[in-house]
Structure formats: C-alpha cells, structure tokens
Coordinates of all heavy atoms in Angstrom, one line a residue:
M1027 N 80.5 45.6 -94.3 CA 81.3 44.5 -94.6 C 81.4 43.5 -93.5 O 81.5 42.3 -93.7 CB 82.7 45.0 -95.0 CG 83.6 44.0 -95.6 SD 83.1 43.4 -97.2 CE 83.2 44.8 -98.2
L1028 N 81.3 44.0 -92.3 CA 81.4 43.0 -91.2 C 80.0 42.5 -90.8 O 79.8 41.3 -90.6 CB 82.1 43.6 -90.0 CG 83.7 43.6 -90.1 CD1 84.3 44.4 -89.0 CD2 84.2 42.2 -90.1
C1029 N 79.1 43.4 -90.5 CA 77.8 43.0 -90.1 C 76.8 43.0 -91.2 O 75.7 42.5 -91.1 CB 77.3 44.0 -89.0 SG 76.9 45.6 -89.5
G1030 N 77.1 43.6 -92.3 CA 76.3 43.6 -93.5 C 75.1 44.6 -93.4 O 74.3 44.6 -94.3
S1031 N 75.1 45.4 -92.4 CA 74.1 46.5 -92.3 C 74.2 47.5 -93.4 O 75.3 47.8 -93.8 CB 74.2 47.2 -90.9 OG 73.9 46.2 -89.9
N1032 N 73.1 48.0 -93.8 CA 73.1 49.1 -94.8 C 72.8 50.4 -94.0 O 71.6 50.7 -93.8 CB 72.0 48.8 -95.9 CG 72.1 49.8 -97.0 OD1 73.0 50.6 -97.1 ND2 71.1 49.7 -97.9
V1033 N 73.8 51.1 -93.7 CA 73.6 52.4 -92.9 C 73.9 53.6 -93.8 O 74.7 53.5 -94.7 CB 74.5 52.4 -91.6 CG1 74.1 51.2 -90.7 CG2 75.9 52.3 -92.0
D1034 N 73.3 54.7 -93.5 CA 73.5 55.9 -94.3 C 74.8 56.6 -93.9 O 75.5 57.1 -94.7 CB 72.4 56.9 -94.1 CG 71.1 56.4 -94.7 OD1 71.1 55.7 -95.7 OD2 70.0 56.8 -94.2
N1035 N 75.1 56.5 -92.6 CA 76.3 57.2 -92.1 C 77.0 56.4 -91.0 O 76.3 55.7 -90.3 CB 76.0 58.6 -91.6 CG 75.6 59.5 -92.7 OD1 76.3 59.8 -93.6 ND2 74.4 60.0 -92.5
F1036 N 78.3 56.5 -90.9 CA 79.0 55.9 -89.8 C 79.2 57.0 -88.7 O 79.1 58.2 -89.0 CB 80.3 55.3 -90.2 CG 80.1 54.1 -91.2 CD1 80.3 54.2 -92.5 CD2 79.7 52.9 -90.6 CE1 80.1 53.2 -93.4 CE2 79.5 51.8 -91.5 CZ 79.7 51.9 -92.8
L1037 N 79.5 56.6 -87.5 CA 79.7 57.5 -86.5 C 81.1 58.0 -86.5 O 82.0 57.3 -86.9 CB 79.4 56.8 -85.1 CG 78.0 56.2 -85.0 CD1 77.9 55.4 -83.7 CD2 77.0 57.3 -85.0
P1038 N 81.4 59.2 -85.9 CA 82.8 59.7 -85.8 C 83.6 58.8 -84.9 O 83.0 58.3 -83.9 CB 82.6 61.1 -85.3 CG 81.3 61.2 -84.8 CD 80.4 60.1 -85.4
G1039 N 84.9 58.8 -85.1 CA 85.7 58.0 -84.2 C 87.2 58.4 -84.4 O 87.5 59.2 -85.3
G1040 N 88.0 57.9 -83.6 CA 89.4 58.2 -83.6 C 89.8 59.4 -82.7 O 88.9 60.0 -82.1
I1041 N 91.0 59.6 -82.7 CA 91.5 60.7 -81.8 C 92.2 61.8 -82.7 O 93.0 61.4 -83.6 CB 92.6 60.1 -80.8 CG1 91.9 59.0 -79.9 CG2 93.2 61.2 -79.9 CD1 92.9 58.2 -79.1
K1042 N 91.9 63.0 -82.4 CA 92.6 64.1 -83.1 C 94.0 64.3 -82.6 O 94.2 64.6 -81.5 CB 91.8 65.4 -82.9 CG 90.5 65.4 -83.6 CD 89.8 66.8 -83.5 CE 88.4 66.7 -84.2 NZ 87.7 68.0 -84.1
Q1043 N 94.9 63.9 -83.5 CA 96.3 64.1 -83.2 C 97.1 64.6 -84.4 O 96.8 64.1 -85.5 CB 97.0 62.8 -82.7 CG 96.6 62.4 -81.3 CD 97.5 61.3 -80.7 OE1 98.3 60.7 -81.4 NE2 97.3 61.1 -79.4
E1044 N 97.9 65.6 -84.3 CA 98.6 66.2 -85.4 C 99.4 65.2 -86.1 O 99.6 65.3 -87.4 CB 99.4 67.4 -84.9 CG 99.9 68.3 -86.0 CD 100.6 69.5 -85.4 OE1 100.0 70.1 -84.4 OE2 101.6 69.9 -85.9
L1045 N 100.0 64.3 -85.4 CA 100.9 63.3 -86.0 C 100.2 62.5 -87.2 O 100.7 62.3 -88.2 CB 101.4 62.3 -85.0 CG 102.3 61.2 -85.5 CD1 103.6 61.7 -85.9 CD2 102.4 60.1 -84.4
F1046 N 98.9 62.2 -86.9 CA 98.2 61.4 -87.9 C 97.9 62.2 -89.2 O 98.1 61.7 -90.3 CB 96.8 60.9 -87.3 CG 97.0 59.9 -86.3 CD1 96.5 60.1 -85.0 CD2 97.6 58.6 -86.6 CE1 96.7 59.1 -84.0 CE2 97.7 57.6 -85.6 CZ 97.3 57.9 -84.3
S1047 N 97.5 63.5 -89.0 CA 97.3 64.3 -90.2 C 98.5 64.7 -90.9 O 98.6 64.8 -92.1 CB 96.4 65.5 -89.8 OG 97.1 66.3 -88.8
Q1048 N 99.6 65.0 -90.2 CA 100.9 65.3 -90.8 C 101.4 64.2 -91.7 O 101.9 64.5 -92.8 CB 101.9 65.6 -89.7 CG 101.9 67.0 -89.1 CD 103.0 67.1 -88.1 OE1 103.5 66.2 -87.6 NE2 103.4 68.4 -87.9
H1049 N 101.2 63.0 -91.3 CA 101.8 61.9 -92.1 C 100.8 61.1 -92.8 O 101.1 60.1 -93.4 CB 102.6 61.0 -91.1 CG 103.7 61.7 -90.4 ND1 104.9 61.9 -91.1 CD2 103.9 62.2 -89.2 CE1 105.7 62.5 -90.3 NE2 105.1 62.7 -89.1
H1050 N 99.5 61.7 -92.9 CA 98.5 61.0 -93.7 C 98.3 59.5 -93.4 O 98.3 58.7 -94.3 CB 98.7 61.2 -95.2 CG 98.9 62.7 -95.5 ND1 97.9 63.6 -95.5 CD2 100.0 63.4 -95.8 CE1 98.3 64.8 -95.9 NE2 99.7 64.7 -96.1
I1051 N 98.3 59.2 -92.1 CA 98.2 57.8 -91.7 C 96.8 57.3 -91.8 O 95.9 57.9 -91.2 CB 98.7 57.7 -90.2 CG1 100.2 58.0 -90.1 CG2 98.5 56.2 -89.7 CD1 100.7 58.1 -88.7
I1052 N 96.6 56.3 -92.7 CA 95.3 55.8 -92.9 C 94.8 55.0 -91.7 O 95.5 54.2 -91.2 CB 95.3 54.9 -94.2 CG1 95.7 55.8 -95.4 CG2 93.9 54.2 -94.4 CD1 95.9 55.0 -96.6
G1053 N 93.6 55.3 -91.3 CA 93.0 54.5 -90.2 C 93.4 55.1 -88.8 O 93.1 54.5 -87.8
G1054 N 94.1 56.2 -88.8 CA 94.5 56.8 -87.6 C 93.9 58.2 -87.5 O 93.6 58.8 -88.5
G1055 N 93.9 58.7 -86.3 CA 93.3 60.1 -86.1 C 91.8 60.1 -86.2 O 91.1 59.1 -86.3
Y1056 N 91.3 61.3 -86.1 CA 89.8 61.5 -86.1 C 89.3 61.3 -87.5 O 89.8 61.9 -88.4 CB 89.5 62.9 -85.5 CG 88.0 63.2 -85.5 CD1 87.2 62.7 -84.5 CD2 87.5 63.9 -86.6 CE1 85.9 63.0 -84.5 CE2 86.1 64.2 -86.6 CZ 85.3 63.7 -85.5 OH 84.0 64.0 -85.6
R1057 N 88.2 60.6 -87.6 CA 87.5 60.5 -88.9 C 86.0 60.7 -88.6 O 85.4 60.2 -87.7 CB 87.6 59.1 -89.5 CG 89.0 58.9 -90.2 CD 90.0 58.1 -89.3 NE 89.5 56.8 -89.0 CZ 89.8 56.2 -87.9 NH1 90.6 56.8 -87.0 NH2 89.4 55.0 -87.6
D1058 N 85.3 61.5 -89.5 CA 83.9 61.8 -89.4 C 83.0 60.5 -89.5 O 82.1 60.3 -88.9 CB 83.5 62.8 -90.4 CG 83.9 64.2 -90.1 OD1 84.1 64.5 -88.9 OD2 84.1 65.0 -91.0
N1059 N 83.4 59.6 -90.5 CA 82.6 58.4 -90.7 C 83.5 57.2 -90.5 O 84.1 56.6 -91.4 CB 82.1 58.4 -92.2 CG 81.1 59.5 -92.4 OD1 80.1 59.5 -91.8 ND2 81.5 60.5 -93.3
S1060 N 83.5 56.7 -89.2 CA 84.4 55.6 -88.9 C 83.7 54.4 -88.3 O 84.0 53.3 -88.8 CB 85.5 56.2 -87.9 OG 86.3 55.1 -87.4
I1061 N 82.9 54.6 -87.4 CA 82.3 53.5 -86.6 C 80.9 53.1 -87.1 O 80.0 54.0 -87.2 CB 82.2 53.9 -85.1 CG1 83.6 54.3 -84.6 CG2 81.7 52.8 -84.2 CD1 83.6 55.0 -83.2
C1062 N 80.7 51.8 -87.3 CA 79.4 51.3 -87.7 C 78.5 51.4 -86.5 O 78.8 50.8 -85.4 CB 79.6 49.9 -88.2 SG 78.0 49.1 -88.6
P1063 N 77.3 52.0 -86.6 CA 76.4 52.1 -85.5 C 75.8 50.8 -85.1 O 75.2 50.6 -84.1 CB 75.4 53.1 -86.0 CG 75.4 53.1 -87.5 CD 76.8 52.7 -87.8
Q1064 N 75.9 49.8 -86.0 CA 75.2 48.5 -85.7 C 76.2 47.6 -85.0 O 75.8 46.9 -84.1 CB 74.8 47.9 -87.1 CG 73.7 48.7 -87.8 CD 72.4 48.8 -87.0 OE1 72.0 47.9 -86.3 NE2 71.9 50.0 -86.9
C1065 N 77.4 47.4 -85.5 CA 78.3 46.4 -84.9 C 79.6 47.0 -84.3 O 80.3 46.3 -83.6 CB 78.7 45.4 -86.0 SG 79.9 46.1 -87.3
G1066 N 79.8 48.3 -84.4 CA 80.9 48.9 -83.8 C 82.2 48.8 -84.5 O 83.3 49.2 -84.0
S1067 N 82.2 48.2 -85.7 CA 83.5 48.0 -86.5 C 83.9 49.4 -86.9 O 83.1 50.3 -87.1 CB 83.2 47.1 -87.7 OG 82.4 47.7 -88.6
V1068 N 85.2 49.5 -87.0 CA 85.8 50.8 -87.5 C 86.2 50.6 -89.0 O 86.3 49.5 -89.5 CB 87.0 51.3 -86.6 CG1 86.5 51.6 -85.2 CG2 88.1 50.3 -86.6
D1069 N 86.5 51.8 -89.6 CA 86.8 51.7 -91.1 C 88.0 50.8 -91.3 O 88.0 50.2 -92.4 CB 87.1 53.2 -91.6 CG 87.9 54.0 -90.7 OD1 88.4 53.5 -89.6 OD2 88.1 55.2 -91.0
R1070 N 89.0 50.8 -90.5 CA 90.1 49.9 -90.7 C 89.7 48.5 -90.7 O 90.2 47.7 -91.6 CB 91.1 50.2 -89.5 CG 92.4 49.4 -89.6 CD 93.3 49.7 -88.4 NE 92.7 49.5 -87.1 CZ 92.4 50.4 -86.2 NH1 92.6 51.7 -86.5 NH2 91.8 50.2 -85.1
N1071 N 88.8 48.0 -89.8 CA 88.3 46.7 -89.8 C 87.6 46.3 -91.2 O 87.8 45.3 -91.8 CB 87.3 46.4 -88.7 CG 87.9 46.7 -87.3 OD1 87.1 47.1 -86.5 ND2 89.1 46.4 -87.1
R1072 N 86.8 47.3 -91.6 CA 86.0 47.0 -92.9 C 86.9 47.0 -94.1 O 86.7 46.2 -95.0 CB 84.9 48.1 -93.0 CG 83.8 48.0 -91.9 CD 82.6 48.9 -92.2 NE 83.0 50.3 -92.2 CZ 83.1 51.1 -91.1 NH1 82.9 50.6 -89.9 NH2 83.5 52.3 -91.2
W1073 N 87.9 47.8 -94.1 CA 88.9 47.8 -95.2 C 89.7 46.5 -95.2 O 89.8 45.9 -96.3 CB 89.9 49.0 -95.1 CG 91.0 48.9 -96.1 CD1 92.3 48.7 -95.8 CD2 90.9 49.1 -97.5 NE1 93.0 48.7 -97.0 CE2 92.1 48.9 -98.0 CE3 89.8 49.3 -98.3 CZ2 92.4 49.0 -99.4 CZ3 90.0 49.4 -99.7 CH2 91.3 49.2 -100.2
F1074 N 90.1 46.0 -94.0 CA 90.8 44.7 -93.9 C 89.9 43.6 -94.4 O 90.4 42.8 -95.2 CB 91.2 44.5 -92.5 CG 92.0 43.3 -92.2 CD1 93.0 42.9 -93.0 CD2 91.7 42.5 -91.1 CE1 93.8 41.8 -92.8 CE2 92.5 41.4 -90.8 CZ 93.5 41.0 -91.7
M1075 N 88.6 43.6 -94.1 CA 87.7 42.6 -94.5 C 87.5 42.7 -96.1 O 87.5 41.6 -96.7 CB 86.4 42.7 -93.9 CG 86.3 42.2 -92.5 SD 86.8 40.4 -92.3 CE 85.5 39.7 -93.3
F1076 N 87.4 43.8 -96.6 CA 87.3 44.0 -98.0 C 88.5 43.4 -98.8 O 88.4 42.7 -99.7 CB 87.2 45.5 -98.4 CG 87.3 45.8 -99.9 CD1 86.2 45.6 -100.7 CD2 88.5 46.2 -100.4 CE1 86.3 45.9 -102.0 CE2 88.6 46.5 -101.8 CZ 87.5 46.3 -102.6
V1077 N 89.7 43.7 -98.3 CA 90.9 43.1 -98.9 C 90.9 41.6 -98.7 O 91.3 40.9 -99.7 CB 92.2 43.7 -98.2 CG1 93.4 43.0 -98.7 CG2 92.3 45.2 -98.5
L1078 N 90.6 41.1 -97.6 CA 90.5 39.6 -97.4 C 89.5 38.9 -98.4 O 89.9 37.9 -99.0 CB 90.1 39.2 -96.0 CG 91.2 39.6 -94.9 CD1 90.6 39.2 -93.5 CD2 92.5 38.8 -95.1
I1079 N 88.4 39.5 -98.5 CA 87.4 38.9 -99.4 C 87.8 39.1 -100.9 O 87.6 38.1 -101.6 CB 86.0 39.6 -99.1 CG1 85.5 39.2 -97.8 CG2 85.0 39.3 -100.2 CD1 84.3 40.0 -97.3
K1080 N 88.3 40.2 -101.2 CA 88.6 40.5 -102.6 C 89.9 39.7 -103.1 O 90.0 39.3 -104.2 CB 88.8 42.0 -102.9 CG 89.0 42.3 -104.4 CD 88.7 43.7 -104.6 CE 88.9 44.1 -106.1 NZ 88.0 43.6 -107.0
Y1081 N 90.9 39.6 -102.2 CA 92.2 39.2 -102.7 C 92.6 37.8 -102.1 O 93.8 37.4 -102.3 CB 93.3 40.3 -102.4 CG 93.0 41.5 -103.2 CD1 92.5 42.6 -102.5 CD2 93.2 41.6 -104.5 CE1 92.2 43.8 -103.3 CE2 93.0 42.7 -105.3 CZ 92.5 43.8 -104.6 OH 92.2 45.0 -105.3
T1082 N 91.8 37.2 -101.2 CA 92.2 35.9 -100.7 C 91.0 35.0 -100.9 O 89.9 35.4 -101.3 CB 92.5 36.0 -99.2 OG1 91.3 36.1 -98.4 CG2 93.5 37.1 -98.9
D1083 N 91.3 33.7 -100.6 CA 90.2 32.7 -100.7 C 89.8 32.1 -99.3 O 89.3 31.0 -99.3 CB 90.5 31.6 -101.7 CG 91.8 30.9 -101.3 OD1 92.4 31.2 -100.3 OD2 92.1 29.9 -102.0
I1084 N 90.2 32.8 -98.3 CA 90.0 32.3 -96.9 C 88.5 32.0 -96.6 O 88.2 31.3 -95.7 CB 90.7 33.1 -95.8 CG1 90.0 34.4 -95.6 CG2 92.2 33.2 -96.1 CD1 90.6 35.2 -94.4
F1085 N 87.6 32.7 -97.3 CA 86.2 32.5 -97.0 C 85.5 31.5 -97.9 O 84.3 31.2 -97.8 CB 85.4 33.8 -97.0 CG 85.9 34.8 -96.0 CD1 86.6 35.9 -96.4 CD2 85.5 34.6 -94.7 CE1 87.1 36.8 -95.4 CE2 86.0 35.5 -93.7 CZ 86.7 36.6 -94.1
F1086 N 86.3 31.0 -98.9 CA 85.7 30.2 -99.9 C 86.3 28.8 -100.0 O 85.9 28.0 -100.9 CB 85.8 30.9 -101.3 CG 85.3 32.3 -101.2 CD1 86.2 33.4 -101.2 CD2 83.9 32.5 -101.1 CE1 85.7 34.7 -101.1 CE2 83.5 33.8 -101.0 CZ 84.3 34.9 -101.0
G1087 N 87.1 28.4 -99.2 CA 87.7 27.1 -99.3 C 88.5 26.8 -98.0 O 88.5 27.5 -97.0
K1088 N 89.2 25.7 -98.1 CA 90.0 25.3 -96.9 C 91.3 26.1 -96.9 O 92.0 26.3 -97.9 CB 90.4 23.8 -97.0 CG 91.1 23.3 -95.8 CD 91.1 21.8 -95.7 CE 91.8 21.3 -94.4 NZ 91.2 21.8 -93.2
S1089 N 91.5 26.7 -95.7 CA 92.7 27.6 -95.6 C 93.2 27.7 -94.2 O 92.5 27.2 -93.2 CB 92.4 29.0 -96.1 OG 91.3 29.5 -95.4
R1090 N 94.4 28.2 -94.0 CA 95.0 28.4 -92.7 C 95.4 29.8 -92.6 O 96.0 30.4 -93.5 CB 96.2 27.5 -92.5 CG 95.9 26.0 -92.7 CD 97.1 25.2 -92.5 NE 97.3 25.0 -91.0 CZ 98.4 24.6 -90.5 NH1 99.4 24.2 -91.3 NH2 98.5 24.5 -89.2
V1091 N 95.1 30.4 -91.4 CA 95.3 31.9 -91.2 C 96.1 32.1 -89.9 O 95.7 31.5 -88.9 CB 94.0 32.7 -91.2 CG1 94.3 34.1 -90.8 CG2 93.3 32.6 -92.5
L1092 N 97.2 32.8 -90.0 CA 97.9 33.3 -88.8 C 97.6 34.8 -88.7 O 98.0 35.6 -89.5 CB 99.4 33.0 -89.0 CG 100.3 33.5 -87.8 CD1 99.9 32.7 -86.5 CD2 101.7 33.2 -88.1
H1093 N 96.8 35.1 -87.7 CA 96.3 36.5 -87.5 C 97.0 37.2 -86.3 O 96.8 36.8 -85.2 CB 94.8 36.4 -87.3 CG 94.1 37.8 -87.4 ND1 92.8 37.9 -87.3 CD2 94.6 39.0 -87.6 CE1 92.4 39.1 -87.4 NE2 93.5 39.9 -87.6
F1094 N 97.9 38.2 -86.6 CA 98.5 38.9 -85.6 C 97.7 40.1 -85.1 O 97.0 40.7 -85.9 CB 99.9 39.5 -86.1 CG 100.9 38.4 -86.2 CD1 101.1 37.7 -87.4 CD2 101.7 38.1 -85.2 CE1 102.1 36.8 -87.6 CE2 102.7 37.1 -85.3 CZ 102.9 36.4 -86.5
A1095 N 97.7 40.3 -83.8 CA 96.9 41.4 -83.2 C 95.4 41.4 -83.7 O 94.9 42.3 -84.3 CB 97.5 42.8 -83.5
P1096 N 94.8 40.3 -83.5 CA 93.4 40.1 -84.1 C 92.4 41.0 -83.6 O 92.3 41.2 -82.4 CB 93.1 38.6 -83.8 CG 93.8 38.3 -82.6 CD 95.1 39.1 -82.7
E1097 N 91.6 41.6 -84.5 CA 90.5 42.4 -84.0 C 89.4 41.4 -83.8 O 89.1 40.5 -84.7 CB 90.1 43.4 -85.2 CG 91.2 44.3 -85.6 CD 92.1 43.7 -86.6 OE1 92.0 42.5 -86.9 OE2 92.9 44.5 -87.2
P1098 N 88.7 41.4 -82.7 CA 87.7 40.4 -82.4 C 86.7 40.2 -83.4 O 86.3 39.1 -83.8 CB 87.1 40.9 -81.1 CG 88.1 41.7 -80.4 CD 88.9 42.4 -81.6
N1099 N 86.1 41.3 -84.0 CA 85.1 41.1 -85.0 C 85.6 40.5 -86.3 O 84.9 39.8 -87.0 CB 84.3 42.4 -85.2 CG 85.3 43.6 -85.5 OD1 86.5 43.4 -85.6 ND2 84.7 44.8 -85.6
V1100 N 86.9 40.8 -86.6 CA 87.4 40.3 -87.9 C 87.8 38.8 -87.7 O 87.4 37.9 -88.5 CB 88.7 41.0 -88.3 CG1 89.4 40.4 -89.5 CG2 88.4 42.5 -88.6
S1101 N 88.4 38.4 -86.6 CA 88.7 37.0 -86.4 C 87.5 36.2 -86.2 O 87.5 35.0 -86.7 CB 89.7 36.8 -85.2 OG 89.1 37.2 -84.0
E1102 N 86.4 36.7 -85.6 CA 85.2 36.0 -85.5 C 84.6 35.7 -86.9 O 84.1 34.6 -87.2 CB 84.2 36.8 -84.7 CG 82.8 36.1 -84.4 CD 81.9 37.0 -83.6 OE1 82.4 37.6 -82.6 OE2 80.7 37.2 -84.0
R1103 N 84.7 36.7 -87.8 CA 84.2 36.5 -89.1 C 85.0 35.4 -89.9 O 84.5 34.6 -90.6 CB 84.2 37.8 -89.9 CG 83.8 37.8 -91.3 CD 82.3 37.7 -91.4 NE 81.9 37.5 -92.8 CZ 81.7 38.5 -93.6 NH1 81.8 39.7 -93.2 NH2 81.3 38.3 -94.8
I1104 N 86.3 35.4 -89.7 CA 87.2 34.4 -90.3 C 86.8 33.1 -89.8 O 86.8 32.1 -90.5 CB 88.7 34.8 -90.1 CG1 89.0 36.1 -90.8 CG2 89.6 33.6 -90.6 CD1 90.4 36.6 -90.5
R1105 N 86.6 33.0 -88.4 CA 86.3 31.7 -87.8 C 84.9 31.2 -88.3 O 84.6 30.0 -88.2 CB 86.2 31.8 -86.3 CG 87.5 32.0 -85.6 CD 87.3 32.1 -84.1 NE 88.4 32.7 -83.5 CZ 89.5 32.1 -83.2 NH1 89.7 30.8 -83.5 NH2 90.5 32.7 -82.6
S1106 N 84.1 32.0 -88.9 CA 82.8 31.6 -89.4 C 82.9 30.6 -90.6 O 82.0 29.8 -90.9 CB 81.9 32.7 -89.8 OG 82.4 33.4 -91.0
N1107 N 84.1 30.6 -91.2 CA 84.4 29.6 -92.3 C 84.9 28.3 -91.6 O 86.0 28.3 -91.1 CB 85.4 30.2 -93.2 CG 85.8 29.1 -94.3 OD1 85.2 28.0 -94.3 ND2 86.7 29.5 -95.2
M1108 N 84.0 27.3 -91.6 CA 84.3 26.1 -90.9 C 85.6 25.4 -91.5 O 86.2 24.6 -90.8 CB 83.1 25.1 -90.9 CG 81.9 25.7 -90.3 SD 82.1 26.0 -88.5 CE 81.9 24.4 -87.9
N1109 N 85.9 25.7 -92.7 CA 87.0 25.1 -93.4 C 88.3 25.9 -93.2 O 89.3 25.6 -93.8 CB 86.8 25.0 -94.9 CG 85.7 24.0 -95.1 OD1 85.6 22.9 -94.5 ND2 84.8 24.3 -96.0
C1110 N 88.3 26.9 -92.3 CA 89.5 27.7 -92.1 C 90.0 27.5 -90.7 O 89.3 27.6 -89.7 CB 89.1 29.2 -92.2 SG 90.5 30.3 -92.0
D1111 N 91.3 27.1 -90.6 CA 92.0 27.0 -89.3 C 92.7 28.4 -89.1 O 93.4 28.9 -89.9 CB 93.1 26.0 -89.4 CG 92.5 24.6 -89.5 OD1 91.4 24.4 -89.0 OD2 93.1 23.7 -90.2
I1112 N 92.3 29.0 -88.0 CA 92.9 30.3 -87.7 C 93.7 30.2 -86.3 O 93.2 29.7 -85.4 CB 91.8 31.4 -87.6 CG1 92.5 32.8 -87.3 CG2 90.7 31.1 -86.7 CD1 91.5 34.0 -87.4
I1113 N 94.8 30.8 -86.3 CA 95.6 30.9 -85.1 C 95.8 32.4 -84.9 O 96.3 33.1 -85.8 CB 97.0 30.2 -85.3 CG1 96.8 28.7 -85.5 CG2 97.9 30.4 -84.1 CD1 98.1 27.9 -85.9
T1114 N 95.5 32.8 -83.7 CA 95.6 34.2 -83.4 C 96.8 34.4 -82.4 O 97.1 33.6 -81.6 CB 94.4 34.8 -82.7 OG1 94.0 34.0 -81.6 CG2 93.2 34.8 -83.7
V1115 N 97.5 35.5 -82.7 CA 98.7 35.8 -81.9 C 98.6 37.2 -81.3 O 98.3 38.1 -82.0 CB 100.0 35.7 -82.8 CG1 101.2 36.0 -81.9 CG2 100.1 34.4 -83.4
Ligands
LIG2543 ZN1 78.5 47.0 -88.9

C-alpha cells in the first residue's frame, strides 16, 4: 500500500509483551508478518493508508490534512498529492 511492492511475505516485527496480547491491541506486540522488506512500512502504516484511500478523498482532490504524530512514510505519501496541504504536529 505504501511502496506498491508485491511481496509474498512481510518480515516479523514488534515487541513481545504480555500487555499487547492480553488486551488484543491491534498494531502492537510481536507480529509474524509486519514489516515490508522493500520500504520498511509496518502493518499499522499500511492499514492507515488503506483507510485514507478508501474512506477519504485526500489523494484525489484539493484537501487539507492535520497529521498528528506523522509516520514519515505516510506523510510523504500524503505530500505526493500536490493539491493537498498537510500540517504535521
Ligand atoms: Zn513496502
């Protein structure tokens, strides 16, 4: 979703901590298929991009985005839309 690579598997990532598994925290803890071997994006980044593409029009028209705690690869992708003003905090 971020780099567009077609990979068979993602690399393991995250940290094994009981808190994450006890509370079923999505995007936290150790995951077998998390990191893209091509661009280094993690599953949380790709899920965020999926939601942005599917449920917003920030890549398809003029828009303004206020991005808190921006992930560099996600904010770079948003900035690729020349019609989008993005402010990162
Ligand atoms: Zn990638």
Side-chain angles (χ1 to χ4, degrees):
M1027 191 63 68
L1028 281 171
C1029 68
S1031 296
N1032 188 8
V1033 297
D1034 291 333
N1035 294 301
F1036 293 104
L1037 303 173
I1041 301 169
K1042 289 183 181 181
Q1043 286 192 352
E1044 195 171 316
L1045 177 71
F1046 291 119
S1047 57
Q1048 278 181 336
H1049 298 285
H1050 308 287
I1051 297 172
I1052 297 171
Y1056 177 85
R1057 284 101 58 210
D1058 286 332
N1059 293 299
S1060 176
I1061 303 170
C1062 174
Q1064 298 299 318
C1065 70
S1067 68
V1068 296
D1069 45 2
R1070 182 180 57 250
N1071 302 146
R1072 294 188 299 277
W1073 173 247
F1074 184 43
M1075 284 300 299
F1076 171 79
V1077 171
L1078 290 177
I1079 290 170
K1080 185 164 178 71
Y1081 297 105
T1082 75
D1083 60 357
I1084 67 171
F1085 296 106
F1086 308 107
K1088 185 159 181 61
S1089 56
R1090 301 181 79 193
V1091 174
L1092 179 59
H1093 191 176
F1094 286 91
E1097 303 86 348
N1099 50 6
V1100 174
S1101 63
E1102 183 179 314
R1103 179 75 184 275
I1104 294 171
R1105 285 180 203 282
S1106 70
N1107 177 0
M1108 301 296 281
N1109 293 319
C1110 180
D1111 292 329
I1112 179 172
I1113 297 172
T1114 56
V1115 180

